[in-house]
Amino acid sequence: MLRILVKEGFTISILNFHQKRTLVNVKLKWVKDSVLDSVVVGGTQLKAGTTLVSIIASQSTSGIPIYHLQRKHRQLGLPHDLKVSTFLRRYPNIFQEFFCCDSAGTPVPWFKLTPETLEFHHEQVDVFRQCSADIVNRLRKLLMMTNKRMLPLQTIDQLKWDLGLPRDCASSLIIKYPELFSLVDLPDGRVGLKLLAWDHKLAVSHLEASYAKENGTLMFPIGFTRGFGLKRKCMKWLEEWQKLPYTSPYVDASHLDPRTDVSEKRIVGVFHELLHLTLQKKTERNNVSNLRKPLELPQKFTKVFERHPGIFYLSMKGDTQTIVLREAYERNQLIEKHPLVQIREKFANMMKQGFLDRSRGLYKDTNQGPEEEKSLTSSFVGEACGTRYYSDIGSDSGMCVEHEAK
């Protein structure tokens, strides 16, 4: 990837540009970047897999029936035509399938974590515990970027995977910091998370902390896909745009005219900072759709992703669009990897290996024996346990060759 960093220019009054500088109508073409597309591929499966591990691990029993997991389909973000059971059976080294019979004697598929996955889960919990202060600071910085230091929990839920927040962050993390956060009732009936304390040390953007300021202005690192072919007119506009004053995402920007390039540079700065708060420097475009009012952004604010392809790459892979921060990657590798990213990569390798082994027919039906049979203590009334095994079959019905009602 070709990297360009335009040298910083001269000081220009924000007020002057607010009054005189209009939004230049420049359109830069979208060019496919196969390298950064590969960063996005597999993200949905990884998120769904780790979420399912957390859900199953949180149960007091040693397993959970499929109909309970099926209710989480929307939360998992899986394609509509992909059953949760089908997804689970793709990775028999992670999810172990067995059967319990309900009150009518019908065998019901259950799933639990394999010993290898339980070991991984405990490692993941330890890593999160070590990184909890950093994760809390990321959440604080996100709230500090908003005009009221507050966001609906629903909006935070959309970003919690990207920020590294736990699945049940409201009950497992936020509650531990009553001096920092408060849950409030919003006028529309939803519950919001409010930041109680401002920290000036956190109110510094990544751009401000990482790059020297000359003559009062900061510029974004820019990189284009090789062969992008930027026209001279666009290059000139970009150089002038880079020289405009930089507005920190942590300061009030209500005085800026949204129809100016100065305002657009502020919007770019907001999302540049937001992506730096994420663990993998990327997020789905849909995840930021509810941030317009809290971040005081104009209508159609997501157009900046298309107008600045040298800063953001908009991947069309999958059923959605994903925004990737170009500067954070050296080809398809994150330049700086958070410990939680490293643990996710380990799990991704586990998923890949399990999928390949299953494709090669290495997982076959196996009876586990009476001793393990007794180890399951069900908390679901009227359900009894039967034969359990790793499954290599793709449907929910007709899978229990034999079962024994207790």
Side-chain angles (χ1 to χ4, degrees):
M1 183 167 63
L2 200 60
R3 292 194 176 272
I4 303 173
L5 182 58
V6 183
K7 291 186 178 180
E8 296 179 357
F10 45 87
T11 303
I12 304 173
S13 165
I14 292 181
L15 181 60
N16 183 46
F17 270 90
H18 169 61
Q19 292 176 335
K20 298 181 180 180
R21 183 76 181 230
T22 58
L23 187 63
V24 178
N25 186 21
V26 172
K27 228 178 213 184
L28 299 184
K29 63 180 180 179
W30 178 85
V31 176
K32 179 181 176 64
D33 190 327
S34 299
V35 175
L36 288 182
D37 277 340
S38 68
V39 171
V40 175
V41 173
T44 300
Q45 289 77 11
L46 177 61
K47 179 181 177 181
T50 54
T51 302
L52 282 165
V53 168
S54 297
I55 292 173
I56 297 174
S58 67
Q59 299 301 306
S60 58
T61 64
S62 55
I64 186 170
I66 185 58
Y67 53 81
H68 279 262
L69 295 174
Q70 193 66 46
R71 296 169 187 168
K72 308 290 185 180
H73 192 284
R74 185 174 180 181
Q75 178 185 338
L76 297 173
L78 293 172
H80 297 298
D81 57 348
L82 178 61
K83 290 183 178 181
V84 175
S85 56
T86 302
F87 178 83
L88 289 163
R89 291 177 186 128
R90 288 178 177 175
Y91 312 103
N93 63 325
I94 296 174
F95 306 105
Q96 181 176 347
E97 182 175 11
F98 59 99
F99 286 84
C100 286
C101 296
D102 60 16
S103 57
T106 304
V108 177
W110 282 52
F111 290 88
K112 69 176 183 177
L113 303 181
T114 65
E116 180 186 7
T117 310
L118 279 171
E119 183 179 341
F120 161 79
H121 177 69
H122 294 149
E123 183 181 353
Q124 184 183 40
V125 170
D126 288 340
V127 171
F128 179 80
R129 189 180 296 114
Q130 296 167 18
C131 300
S132 59
D134 173 73
I135 298 302
V136 168
N137 283 342
R138 290 170 189 264
L139 179 58
R140 292 169 70 191
K141 286 172 75 76
L142 174 64
L143 294 174
M144 287 169 64
M145 291 170 64
T146 65
N147 51 8
K148 296 180 180 179
R149 304 180 193 175
M150 179 173 58
L151 281 174
L153 281 180
Q154 181 182 357
T155 301
I156 295 174
D157 282 345
Q158 289 180 284
L159 290 165
K160 63 186 177 184
W161 165 259
D162 299 320
L163 294 173
L165 295 168
R167 179 180 61 88
D168 53 350
C169 63
S171 58
S172 67
L173 182 68
I174 293 171
I175 196 172
K176 295 179 181 179
Y177 299 90
E179 74 282 7
L180 296 178
F181 306 111
S182 175
L183 295 176
V184 296
D185 294 325
L186 302 178
D188 59 5
R190 293 183 295 174
V191 177
L193 181 66
K194 185 175 181 62
L195 182 68
L196 300 179
W198 180 274
D199 190 336
H200 291 283
K201 293 179 181 178
L202 294 179
V204 179
S205 70
H206 183 273
L207 195 68
E208 291 172 309
S210 304
Y211 294 93
K213 204 177 208 182
E214 291 182 15
N215 300 322
T217 186
L218 282 168
M219 285 181 271
F220 298 96
I222 294 179
F224 292 101
T225 307
R226 190 171 295 280
F228 186 84
L230 194 63
K231 293 181 179 180
R232 182 176 299 178
K233 175 185 175 182
C234 296
M235 178 64 81
K236 184 178 180 181
W237 164 76
L238 183 57
E239 290 175 350
E240 291 298 319
W241 182 87
Q242 283 276 48
K243 295 174 184 177
L244 296 176
Y246 170 80
T247 306
S248 169
Y250 298 104
V251 302
D252 179 18
S254 58
H255 62 284
L256 294 180
D257 187 336
R259 297 165 297 179
T260 63
D261 275 350
V262 174
S263 176
E264 184 186 61
K265 187 170 181 178
R266 182 253 172 182
I267 298 171
V268 170
V270 166
F271 287 107
H272 183 270
E273 179 70 0
L274 177 61
L275 289 174
H276 267 293
L277 292 180
T278 65
L279 299 183
Q280 294 176 276
K281 317 308 176 193
K282 61 185 177 73
T283 191
E284 292 183 7
R285 189 170 183 167
N286 291 338
N287 291 344
V288 301
S289 59
N290 294 327
L291 293 174
R292 187 180 73 82
K293 290 184 178 180
L295 296 179
E296 296 184 317
L297 302 173
Q299 296 282 353
K300 299 181 180 180
F301 63 91
T302 57
K303 290 290 185 182
V304 298
F305 304 135
E306 298 161 10
R307 277 173 57 87
H308 295 275
I311 300 173
F312 311 109
Y313 175 63
L314 200 57
S315 175
M316 307 296 180
K317 281 289 182 182
D319 297 329
T320 185
Q321 297 179 6
T322 303
I323 314 153
V324 183
L325 187 63
R326 283 189 180 274
E327 71 186 71
Y329 285 84
E330 186 64 47
R331 292 192 60 77
N332 64 347
Q333 293 295 316
L334 267 174
I335 296 174
E336 297 181 8
K337 289 186 180 180
H338 192 277
L340 285 175
V341 172
Q342 295 175 331
I343 200 73
R344 286 179 181 179
E345 289 181 345
K346 178 178 180 178
F347 186 69
N349 290 332
M350 288 174 59
M351 293 180 70
K352 181 179 179 181
Q353 190 60 50
F355 184 81
L356 291 174
D357 288 347
R358 180 182 181 276
S359 303
R360 295 166 183 154
L362 299 183
Y363 286 92
K364 297 298 181 182
D365 298 351
T366 57
N367 290 327
Q368 301 300 322
E371 290 188 4
E372 183 173 306
E373 182 68 35
K374 296 176 183 177
S375 68
L376 182 67
T377 54
S378 175
S379 62
F380 296 89
V381 179
E383 293 173 346
C385 302
T387 303
R388 65 190 77 172
Y389 51 82
Y390 289 113
S391 174
D392 194 33
I393 307 174
S395 66
D396 285 346
S397 58
M399 297 184 64
C400 190
V401 179
E402 59 176 286
H403 66 273
E404 180 183 8
K406 301 291 183 184

